[in-house]
Amino acid sequence: MITRPYGKNREPISVIGFGAIVVMNETPAEAGRLTAWAVDRGITYFDVAPSYGNAEERLGPALEPYRDRVFLACKTTERSGAKAEAELHASLKKMRTDRFDLYQLHGVSKADDTDRILAEDGALKALVKAREQGLVRHLGFSAHSEAEALRLLDAYPFDSILFPINYASWTRGHFGPAVVERARKLGVTVLALKSMARRPWAKDEVRTWAKCWYSPVDTLEEAKAALGFTLSLPVTAALPPGHGELLRLACEAVDALGPDLTPVPASPLLDVPPLFPRPAPAP
């Protein structure tokens, strides 16, 4: 598996990450099998969150034998310092670890989220305290709003941002360029969500991929185009959708792109409507 540097210390992590929704609702045995496969495949970047159903309960025991070989990221949706601290400790216990390599403020989408996070008793202060205590090594956030992502990038020197970097949304919806450029200027690592999203599910459509809130690309040519585009940008790693089959497809796509991750023409994705069609705010 190809690696790229994370953070100011340029720690190498795999360009394809393991999103723990992959093991959500699986049996313990299947969770163990999927996790062992990922480690053997060279995946070192693992991402989990309390909001992913029973993913922590499944991934914690499965990942325990490999804990010192991976870069483990977790998240909190709590916005107050006290609740964020409590959720961090609960996640550490479920994940059977004494620290997270990356701890993130999860799903920032509204101005109120940012206001509460940055308040005197907000979650950011709790995360900084946790890093001082050695419970986390790096701090970051995930966001689905360009405006709030830019606010947080300017408010604190985070180590990374987890953000949707999707071909159609970038090229046709103008969603993402302002955030990636701001992160680049500030020296903040960019991690990618939604790279393999094809389009939103249609109303009443049968969801063939039950763990995805969007219809994902699911052929090798589409995956090569989608991941080739995302990883051609200043992006360190991408998290595929939450199915083992799609994780394998992402790994196959990266292999097919070659060691330089040379992007291929994005023709399979040209008619895909953007998930995020909003214009970017002024920098």
Side-chain angles (χ1 to χ4, degrees):
M1 175 63 65
I2 298 164
T3 64
R4 284 183 173 174
Y6 175 93
K8 292 179 174 59
N9 63 356
R10 300 184 64 78
E11 179 176 355
I13 65 172
S14 57
V15 295
I16 295 299
F18 183 104
I21 292 177
V22 167
V23 296
M24 182 180 76
N25 300 333
E26 303 293 344
T27 65
E30 179 65 3
R33 187 187 69 79
L34 288 164
T35 301
W37 176 88
V39 172
D40 287 344
R41 190 65 171 77
I43 294 174
T44 59
Y45 168 34
F46 284 74
D47 177 276
V48 69
S51 57
Y52 298 161
N54 66 349
E56 288 182 315
E57 289 88 340
R58 289 292 180 264
L59 184 61
L63 194 60
E64 190 173 20
Y66 315 106
R67 176 63 189 91
D68 291 335
R69 296 166 55 183
V70 303
F71 182 94
L72 178 58
C74 192
K75 311 185 186 82
T76 179
T77 56
E78 298 294 347
R79 304 309 187 214
S80 76
K83 289 184 177 181
E85 182 177 7
E87 188 159 63
L88 166 62
H89 284 276
S91 291
L92 287 168
K93 183 176 181 180
K94 290 177 183 177
M95 287 301 301
R96 301 190 182 187
T97 185
D98 60 354
R99 84 283 181 198
F100 289 119
D101 298 295
L102 169 62
Y103 201 63
Q104 302 157 105
L105 300 156
H106 190 183
V108 181
S109 59
K110 303 184 297 293
D112 182 60
D113 288 334
T114 306
D115 292 342
R116 291 161 59 202
I117 285 166
L118 298 177
E120 186 65 26
D121 60 348
L124 180 56
K125 287 200 171 182
L127 269 61
V128 172
K129 176 184 174 183
R131 183 171 60 184
E132 292 169 349
Q133 295 172 328
L135 299 176
V136 303
R137 296 175 53 221
H138 303 287
L139 300 181
F141 67 93
S142 68
H144 288 77
S145 161
E146 280 196 318
E148 300 315 309
L150 293 171
R151 281 185 68 195
L152 282 175
L153 285 170
D154 289 341
Y156 184 80
F158 288 98
D159 297 294
S160 58
I161 174 175
L162 180 61
F163 196 78
I165 308 293
N166 172 273
Y167 172 80
S169 294
W170 182 287
T171 60
R172 298 175 61 195
H174 309 293
F175 183 88
V179 171
V180 171
E181 178 59 16
R182 186 71 57 83
R184 186 192 66 78
K185 286 182 177 179
L186 295 172
V188 176
T189 295
V190 178
L191 306 170
L193 289 167
K194 311 296 189 291
S195 297
M196 291 173 64
R198 178 190 284 117
R199 56 170 173 78
W201 291 113
K203 185 179 179 181
D204 301 325
E205 180 179 1
V206 176
R207 299 196 173 193
T208 50
W209 299 100
K211 295 181 185 180
C212 298
W213 71 267
Y214 52 82
S215 173
V217 302
D218 53 11
T219 69
L220 181 59
E221 287 307 307
E222 289 177 323
K224 285 168 57 181
L227 289 167
F229 171 78
T230 295
L231 294 172
S232 72
L233 300 170
V235 170
T236 289
L239 288 168
H243 286 266
E245 299 91 333
L246 299 177
L247 176 65
R248 293 187 188 92
L249 179 64
C251 293
E252 291 170 7
V254 166
D255 285 348
L257 291 171
D260 296 326
L261 296 176
T262 304
V264 299
S267 55
L269 308 175
L270 287 178
D271 295 326
V272 176
L275 287 175
F276 304 96
R278 300 177 296 280

